[in-house]
Amino acid sequence: MATQKRKPSILDIGSAASKESSSHGSIQIAEDSQSVLLSLPSGASAKVLLYGATVVSWKIKDRELLWLSEASALDGSKAVRGGIPLVFPVFGPPPAGTPVESLPQHGFARTSKWNLLGRAEDEEGSVRVDFGLSPDSLDGETKAKWAYDFGLIYSVTLRESSLETKIVVQNSGSGAFDFNVLFHTYLRIPDVSTIGVQGLNSLTYRDKTLGGTEHQESSEVIKITSQTDRVYKSAPDAITVSEGDKPLYTVTKTGLEDVVLWNPYSDGVEKIGDWQPKEGYKNMVCVEAGSVAQWQTLEPQSTWEGGVTHKAHL
C-alpha cells in the first residue's frame, strides 16, 4: 500500500475512566489496568490485553470465537499463545544482516506494554478502542536493537457479528525503515478435520514445512490434514473458512498483501511448551492477514496502514 505524506503523531493517552458506556456499547478497564473489555447490547464482546495489545477473547452471544491455549501466559512474561497476537516489525526468525537481526522472533509489538489512547463509537452500533506504541514505551535493550523513530496506533473495533483490527505505522524520523506486519489470528473451529479454507486457489505459497520452497495451490478448498505453515503471496482480499457448505468465518483484509495459513497439528504441538491442551490443534486454525512475503518500506514523515475484519457466520 502506498504511503501517505502527512506529519504523524502518537496521541496522548486519553482520560479513560474505569468504565464508559452508552446505548451503543461499553468499555471496561480491569481493576489491575492490564486489560480492556468491549461489549455491545447484542451480547458481543472482546477482551484486549495492554500487554502486546493482544486480543484474547471475542465472543458473540457467549460463544468464544478465538482459540487460546490454557497454558498461555497472560501476565506479560512472554507472548500470548492464541487470540490475535500482533507481529511487528519482523515475521518469523529475524534474517541475519538486516536491521531487525537482533530482535526476537515476530518482533517486539506482541511483547510490549501498549498505552490506551481512547475509545470511539458510531451510530451503526460499534465500539472501538485505540492503543499506541512508540520508542518511549520500549525498554532500552529493545530500542537499541531497533533504533527508529516510529509510532504504532492499533485499533480494535467490535461490531455485532465482526471484529476489526487495524494498525497505522508512522515514521517520524529522518530515514526510511523496512518492516513486516501480521495479525496472527487463532480462529476457533469445531474440528479441523471438517473445515476447509477457500479463496487461495492458484496462488503461489512458501511452504515452511518443506524448507521454504515455493509451490502453487491447486485446491479450491484447502483441507488441514497435517502440519501446515504456508505464506500465500498476493492473496485476495477475502478468505472463507467453512464447515462443509456452511461458512464459519470470512477474513477480509485491507492494505495487506499476504495470508498465512497455520496449524501445528499433532506433531507440531509437541514442540510448543505453552500449548494446552495438546489436542487443541483440532479446534483452531490460523488464517493470518499480513504483509510478510517481502518488506514494506516506509519513508520519513509518512504513514502506512492495514487491517483485517473477521466476520463470524453463526
Side-chain angles (χ1 to χ4, degrees), residues 9-203:
S9 61
I10 282 287
L11 303 174
D12 292 330
I13 190 166
S15 56
S18 61
K19 180 175 182 180
E20 297 181 26
S21 61
S22 72
S23 59
H24 301 303
S26 69
I27 171 175
Q28 299 178 46
I29 302 174
E31 290 184 4
D32 60 4
S33 300
Q34 299 304 305
S35 64
V36 179
L37 179 65
L38 306 175
S39 61
L40 296 176
S42 65
S45 68
K47 183 179 180 180
V48 191
L49 301 182
L50 267 66
Y51 176 69
T54 306
V55 182
V56 293
S57 175
W58 170 35
K59 294 180 180 179
I60 296 179
K61 298 179 180 178
D62 294 325
R63 177 174 171 180
E64 181 58 64
L65 301 171
L66 297 178
W67 186 87
L68 183 69
S69 170
E70 294 176 3
S72 185
L74 304 179
D75 59 359
S77 60
K78 62 182 297 187
V80 175
R81 174 68 64 188
I84 310 179
L86 182 62
V87 173
F88 177 92
V90 59
F91 171 64
T98 67
V100 299
E101 65 178 349
S102 298
L103 293 177
Q105 176 167 299
H106 292 335
F108 55 77
R110 66 181 187 149
T111 55
S112 296
K113 180 72 175 293
W114 290 61
N115 293 319
L116 176 62
L117 301 181
R119 72 185 296 273
E121 60 186 43
D122 64 25
E123 295 300 323
E124 296 179 356
S126 71
V127 63
R128 187 188 83 227
V129 174
D130 300 325
F131 304 87
L133 189 69
S134 69
D136 292 340
S137 308
L138 305 180
D139 58 47
E141 182 180 358
T142 303
K143 282 192 286 189
K145 291 178 178 178
W146 205 70
Y148 293 101
D149 194 357
F150 74 97
L152 304 179
I153 297 177
Y154 183 53
S155 302
V156 178
T157 302
L158 177 67
R159 298 186 175 88
E160 185 173 347
S161 62
S162 67
L163 184 74
E164 177 187 291
T165 53
K166 183 177 77 173
I167 190 168
V168 177
V169 183
Q170 307 170 332
N171 182 353
S172 51
S174 58
F177 62 74
D178 294 337
F179 67 92
N180 296 146
V181 66
L182 181 83
F183 301 89
H184 198 319
T185 307
Y186 290 70
L187 294 173
R188 181 175 287 276
I189 55 174
D191 191 322
V192 70
S193 68
T194 64
I195 64 104
V197 180
Q198 299 166 281
L200 300 171
N201 188 36
S202 301
L203 296 186

